[in-house]
Amino acid sequence: MNVLLIGGGGREHALAWALSASPLLTKLYAAPGNAGIAELAECITLDVADHAAVLAFVAEKGIGFVVIGPEAPLVAGLADALAAAGVKHFGPSKAAAQLEGSKGFTKDLCREAGIPTGAYGRFRDVASAHAYLAAQSIPIVVKADGLAAGKGVVVAGTRTEAEAAIDACFAGAFGAAGAEVVIEEFLEGEEASFFALCDGEHALALATAQDHKRVGDDDTGPNTGGMGAYSPAPVMTPDLVQRTMDEIIRPTVAAMARRGTPFKGVLFAGLMITAEGPKLIEYNVRFGDPETQVLMMRLQSDLLAAMLATADGVLDHFDVRWRDDAALTVVLAAKGYPGTPEKGTEIKGLDAAGSVAGVQIFHAGTRCDGARLIADGGRVLNVTALGASVAEAQARAYEAIAKIDWPGGFCRSDIGWRAVLRETAKA
């Protein structure tokens, strides 16, 4: 079948890489794609916010399946437009996408379904938010309710910082996303990323991962969209995986079905592994970035077949297989990220970097200018490697990075440090 992939980041390059290996695929299109995706798919200019234009393209090219990568088109209802036109697709409806589109929606659902998460309050005005904050302990988490491109969350270590975060939201720092504010209990523990395919009724656990949100080594500096990741996450023992499915994922799928808004797609749970067990920090309704890059490196099964099984509601008869190897990805970002990244700088040496054993380079924010590869985003490249251990994957990734000639970029030097410490302790 012909497949249309919506998106143009590192996540989508990894998905395109996995989809292109499927024997079910005839031709892959990507909108808009990037310089890396262009090696696997025909990249097209398409306004994905214009649902009529998307449907027209689908009809013109005989697209049999649409894979929606980013969250914004899902929250905007692209899946609904495809469903109404009878086009098979991967990604939840607008109503189900509220699990990411509104943090307050998710917290209320957790309360309703008894899903473990932090205590919280929802507020539409600055005075009531400050009044609630005054009665809470510090540290505390302040979140813009809506989509804020990963920048609407502040883990406040002081009351002054929390007050400033509330004021910033209501002052319009995050646009409409900050019209409502969620204030949450700070959870102690270790974070993990958990993914499950959901077909509206059944859920199938995928591999675990762990990412690095802070921009600097030793987890310092501001939060980003993610500076690197690895899979599997050693903190997610088989018992914790089972508990996450039983206490968080399946109750969510059941609650969404009861509401008449069944969730179909991939559910990405950001977890905190606390002394009491796994607790939900937040949901995303699409694959993670950069977690997808390591998941696709380890996936042995046919991704397109798995996505079709999700869309067809037959996950109870489906399974996926994973490589035993670990995978690790390091994000190369443009200088200035996560603030104002420097765009337009040239990147060289990718062929040499890609020749390192077990390494695959995914493009996140690139474009071609003739024969030159140009940085065109904040997070620009994902240097990803397989290894028998996280330490081996880490060594291969950084060996490849050393061959890349890009003075305009930077990366963290310690991606995977928690897992490597665990491996060293076991040895």
Side-chain angles (χ1 to χ4, degrees):
M1 60 172 57
N2 293 337
V3 175
L4 171 61
L5 173 64
I6 304 293
R11 166 184 50 228
E12 285 77 33
H13 189 183
L15 293 175
W17 180 74
L19 288 169
S20 66
S22 173
L24 302 175
L25 181 71
T26 303
K27 180 164 183 177
L28 182 63
Y29 296 89
N34 61 36
I37 295 172
E39 298 177 6
L40 303 166
E42 181 178 332
C43 294
I44 56 167
T45 301
L46 186 63
D47 181 3
V48 299
D50 184 343
H51 295 171
V54 174
L55 291 173
F57 180 83
V58 165
E60 177 192 346
K61 299 296 183 181
I63 302 294
F65 194 53
V66 179
V67 177
I68 306 169
E71 63 275 16
L74 293 166
V75 172
L78 178 55
D80 302 74
L82 293 167
V87 179
K88 192 174 290 191
H89 58 279
F90 181 85
S93 66
K94 180 176 183 176
Q98 287 182 92
L99 285 169
E100 180 167 0
S102 169
K103 295 174 179 66
F105 173 91
T106 296
K107 298 297 277 192
D108 287 353
L109 182 132
C110 287
R111 178 183 285 169
E112 169 195 316
I115 295 166
T117 189
Y120 72 103
R122 297 179 68 174
F123 307 96
R124 291 186 177 273
D125 67 274
V126 68
S128 57
H130 279 297
Y132 178 85
L133 174 65
Q136 306 305 311
S137 59
I138 301 294
I140 200 161
V141 183
V142 178
K143 296 180 177 180
D145 179 71
L147 297 181
K151 297 175 182 176
V153 177
V154 173
V155 180
T158 67
R159 200 165 296 279
T160 300
E161 191 179 359
E163 290 168 349
I166 291 169
D167 292 342
C169 282
F170 285 115
F174 306 107
E180 182 172 334
V181 169
V182 176
I183 302 177
E184 294 183 11
E185 171 191 6
F186 175 78
L187 297 175
E188 291 275 5
E190 187 171 340
E191 289 189 47
S193 300
F194 190 89
F195 298 86
L197 295 178
C198 307
D199 65 8
E201 183 179 356
H202 312 100
L204 175 63
L206 301 180
T208 61
Q210 198 161 41
D211 78 341
H212 299 257
K213 288 294 186 193
R214 300 282 186 174
V215 72
D217 284 2
D218 301 318
D219 293 327
T220 56
N223 275 327
T224 70
M227 293 300 292
Y230 55 91
S231 175
V235 69
M236 291 301 295
T237 62
D239 175 64
L240 282 174
V241 168
Q242 189 63 50
R243 285 190 62 182
T244 299
M245 289 298 290
D246 292 343
E247 299 172 21
I248 297 175
I249 302 296
R250 290 194 182 98
T252 298
V253 172
M256 292 298 285
R258 283 195 304 272
R259 289 182 171 207
T261 55
F263 185 92
K264 301 183 76 169
V266 63
L267 202 50
F268 166 14
L271 302 177
M272 185 67 77
I273 309 307
T274 71
E276 295 83 38
K279 293 187 178 183
L280 182 70
I281 301 173
E282 64 181 8
Y283 270 133
N284 296 305
V285 298
R286 36 68 187 180
F287 281 104
D289 190 350
E291 292 96 338
T292 306
Q293 290 82 317
V294 290
L295 293 185
M296 294 304 106
M297 289 286 279
R298 294 188 60 224
L299 180 66
Q300 284 186 312
S301 300
D302 184 332
L303 176 64
L304 182 51
M307 288 180 162
L308 287 166
T310 303
D312 290 338
V314 294
L315 282 179
D316 54 330
H317 302 296
F318 199 85
D319 201 3
V320 289
R321 295 175 178 269
W322 303 92
R323 297 180 189 275
D324 291 332
D325 284 352
L328 180 140
T329 190
V330 180
V331 170
L332 270 67
K335 287 181 178 177
Y337 180 79
T340 304
E342 299 175 10
K343 296 184 180 181
T345 54
E346 185 177 0
I347 305 165
K348 300 178 182 178
L350 289 198
D351 288 344
S355 69
V356 175
V359 166
Q360 182 70 36
I361 299 172
F362 296 114
H363 293 233
T366 61
R367 62 178 173 85
C368 287
D369 179 10
R372 300 165 70 234
L373 182 67
I374 304 299
D376 194 37
R379 293 183 295 172
V380 175
L381 296 170
N382 310 126
V383 180
T384 313
L386 286 171
S389 63
V390 174
E392 183 175 69
Q394 181 193 60
R396 288 175 170 177
Y398 283 110
E399 179 186 349
I401 287 169
K403 298 178 184 294
I404 296 175
D405 178 10
W406 182 33
F410 74 98
C411 66
R412 281 184 56 164
S413 66
D414 62 347
I415 300 300
W417 66 268
R418 286 187 184 88
V420 172
L421 279 177
R422 282 190 169 98
E423 290 174 353
T424 303
K426 281 186 178 179

